Amino acid sequence: MSAQVIVTIGLETHVQLKSRTKIFCSCAAEFGSTPNSNVCPVCLGLPGSLPVLNRKVFSLGLRAVLALGGTPSEVIKFDRKNYFYPDLPKGYQISQFDHPLGRGGFVEIDTPTGVKQVVLNRLHLEEDAGKLIHDNSPTESHVDLNRAGTPLAEIVTEPCLDSSEEAYEYLTNLKAILKTAGVSDCDMEKGHLRCDANVSIRKNAADPLGKRVEIKNLNSFKAVKAAIEYEVKRQAEALEKGEVMVQETRLWDDTRQKTFTMRSKEDAHDYRYFPEPDLVPFHLEVSEIEEARKSLPTLPRARKENLMAKYNLSEYDARLICADQEIENFFEDCVKIYNDVKTIAIWIKGSVFAYRAENSDEFKKFGLSRLKPQLLVQLIGLVDAGTLSLQVAKEKVFPEIVRGFSPAQVVKEKGLTQVSDTGALEGWIVEVIAANPKVVEDFKSGKESAVMFLVGQVMKKSQGKANPGMLGELIKKKLKEI
Amino acid sequence: MNFAEKTINALADLYQKNSCTQKEVLESLATAVKSKDRDSRQIHAYIAPETAQPRHRKADKSSKLWGIPIAVKDNICVEREEITCASKILKGFISPYNATVIDKLLDAGAVIYGRTNMDEFAFGSSCETSTYGPTRNPRDPECVPGGSSGGSAASVADHTAVASLGSDTGGSIRQPAAFCGVVGMKPTYGRVSRYGLIAFASSLDQIGPITKDVRDSASLLSVIAGYDPKDSTSADIPVPDYTALLGKSIKGFKIGIPKEYVEGIDNPELRKKLVEEPKKIFESLGASVETVSLPHTRYAVSVYYIVAPSEASSNLERFDGVRFGYREAGASTLLDLYEKSRGTGFGAEAKRRIILGTYSLSSGYYDAYYLKAMKVRTKIKQDFDQAFKKVDLLLTPTAPGGAFKLGEKSKNPLEMYLSDIYTISANLAGVPALSIPGGLIGEKKMPLGLQLVGKPFDEATLYQAAYAFEQATDFHRQLGNVK
């Protein structure tokens, strides 16, 4: 690995807004239709056609700005970004240049050194381009304009991310905010979230920012992380070799996990931005902003603070729980019927998250719909009452209750009740001591940890049913008797 | 009988009295178009007149324009009709939809008949840059009909159309109307929907009528004007009946003559015909005429030739040979496809304007050209606001003189650009302006155009004043527009 460098990253994220229709016409903004079926003279860019702003799209954009804590522009204005490409039917993209819909705002992320605010530069609205299809024919390329005119919000951060992990964390939290605000479905598979990363490195903090390299074609959070890591390594090695860094645009190849030069600064487009004369600028009324603000649901950041205040949860726990609305609802439902907030949080962070991680397909399909809050609470109750050991509860009963079975019934059917009967426990202890003479010697020579080992052995022997709270004392007593 | 010699209003009367049928009218029109348009004078007002097909929609006989044939400039989309902006690059393109004005005309019972010739993409003032060859002036075939709506004006003057639609970005309706001795109206920006008008310069373009007399102009504008949800720049302001004030006295009207427009007219005859005589006529009608100032006038042409080509350079990007229109065969790469198709598809003037516009929008030049031009444009608009605090309307020549000869200015683009010096400001300011026959000049009695410029959305006053002038002077009869 090359020498330590300071990494600076800025992200540009294109988010498809959750509108049934396109931004400047009434065609369906649908994924997966027959090519060129959701089109009209406007999104085909036919001669003489004119764009008309879809107010619903505009409102979604406004919600996004407010959800991210940005300041909406007073003047709503669009501009033309001119360039030639076959997927761009008008030869220009209608976008926003000098008056983006929103400026500022931030997204909070966790870093090893604490919570960090990723500051946003801007959010602007624009139309998506179509798609080129190259694999229909060996000699021709085809154009599908279904996607042309699909509404996008481009969200640009300041160059304030310091690592690939921060970039990943930022995207995760951005997605949570936009989903909660109802602005976008953020479905990566449908291309609802696409990212370009600007990466530069320098040797010392006192140096000016290094030459910026823009990486395009990042279609998943994983790709963003991998591409940044690749690029940092590539740039650091180049710097080490004394190569001169150039400002350029590179393309990420997800299969080969590498970036490739796409174009250098010299070949950069001059987009010749100018105000879109077909759309009349208008003033954004304060009342409209206030209405949009009021209609926003509680966002992850505020929800986290609510959880902390309401249930005295740690920031860490609150953040984990509110990252997913369904988990949060589940938590609140549990707390309503059982007041041991801490224990519920522990179960959610532990077993529920593990279940979610291990069963991602099932979880995607059913979510938490089959795990009822009552069942988890009953399970916790059984442990608290001493009927069930924690270990058995986690390992043997939890996997059944996520499938909808009652914990009491599982315990009964499988004979999992915790054993607290001294006689029965002593029987197992005697057997374990007999099988581990070396450990007994350790205890005699003063090793207290020997007791913990024997507790573990008894738990194992009892298949987890032995009451671990009683074992320590009983084992010590037996050992001393020897 | 050639029914195309009738005005809209005369023809409507004949229909009301059952003196003719729609079939008779259309047959006589087809005969006139096919014979006159290709006769020895080579007027060539129409593109492909031999294939012209009337298009109409079921409408009540009491509809405003029932049975009235209207010719349409080749940059206004008609469903299932080829539309090319007189450019090779659009040859073969069939529009799948109607422009809003076409829908309005069809709903009012009008018959769309014939595509009229124009300068390529409306870039020109002489109708000489068409890929189909030039249109000639029916008053004198050695002269140009003006442009860019040269075909629309020539067809009306030559009685191969009852009335027509043109488009005006810097004078493209008014200047040809002046050269051909007919009436041309450029409405207030936003008065008529641009949906379906192939854009030249989006912030300047307006569709308007070209007619034989003022009443026809008012009748036609009443139908095509109005708010269109498909055009964000159209104004949601009610449309009055523009014929309502025709014949009403203009006594007490205050008319301003901008001194910057007339102080440079050295030719005594032009000065007499374009300034002094019209002034006297209006005064005799009871209006007061005073001199006003539009101090930023001298910047208008410069501003226009930055703003209009800038917008045009962007508007013409969609003509790339990829999806429709002309594609040059044998391209080896994508860039090659663009360069070959656009290189061959566009004519010289189109290329000149694309290059001009691309340059003024380029990074590093934008502030010095486009942005500055837009600031001066605001000043020009303020000049009009100021003037209209004092007067009801402005009176100016439409063009520096009558029609010039074919080829006279086509070698010198700058000289050509100056032929729009009186008309450009109205587009930059967005105000309505109308050209009417204002006098006749020379042995051949060639028409001179008089321009009336009004307050935004006050076309009604323009028509009232123009009608009074027309009735007092009778140039429209002397020219044979109305027989």
Side-chain angles (χ1 to χ4, degrees), chain B residues 212-246:
Chain B
K212 296 185 162 105
D213 66 5
V214 172
R215 181 177 289 278
D216 275 8
S217 185
S219 302
L220 198 44
L221 184 63
S222 297
V223 170
I224 63 169
Y227 173 65
D228 179 9
K230 287 190 230 155
D231 175 4
S232 308
T233 63
S234 75
D236 195 359
I237 296 173
V239 180
D241 176 2
Y242 291 117
T243 60
L245 299 177
L246 303 185

Side-chain angles (χ1 to χ4, degrees), chain A residues 1-2 201 228-239:
Chain A
M1 183 63 201
S2 37
I201 62 165
I228 292 172
E229 281 160 13
Y230 174 85
E231 192 57 26
V232 167
K233 190 161 172 277
R234 186 191 70 80
Q235 291 184 26
E237 281 168 6
L239 199 67

Side-chain angles (χ1 to χ4, degrees), chain B residues 350-414:
Chain B
K351 286 180 195 165
R352 181 177 297 123
R353 302 219 187 180
I354 289 170
I355 291 167
L356 270 175
T358 304
Y359 181 82
S360 31
L361 289 177
S362 294
S363 125
Y365 298 95
Y366 178 85
D367 289 1
Y369 291 100
Y370 187 81
L371 197 65
K372 184 163 265 176
M374 289 305 273
K375 286 178 182 164
V376 181
R377 182 178 180 179
T378 305
K379 295 275 180 203
I380 290 170
K381 189 177 183 310
Q382 286 165 352
D383 282 355
F384 281 93
D385 294 343
Q386 287 304 316
F388 286 130
K389 282 180 186 164
K390 286 196 212 156
V391 296
D392 302 307
L393 52 101
L394 302 173
L395 172 64
T396 83
T398 307
F404 46 86
K405 295 262 189 314
L406 253 78
E408 190 181 323
K409 296 188 179 183
S410 51
K411 296 282 179 295
N412 185 342
L414 280 183

Side-chain angles (χ1 to χ4, degrees), chain A residues 47-48 80 82 89 91-92 270 278, chain B residues 97 196 314-315 317-318 323 363:
Chain A
R80 290 187 186 176
N82 299 282
Y92 55 84
D270 179 354
D278 289 330
Chain B
Y97 73 101
S314 175
N315 284 329
E317 278 159 357
R318 68 189 68 193
R323 293 165 311 282
S363 125

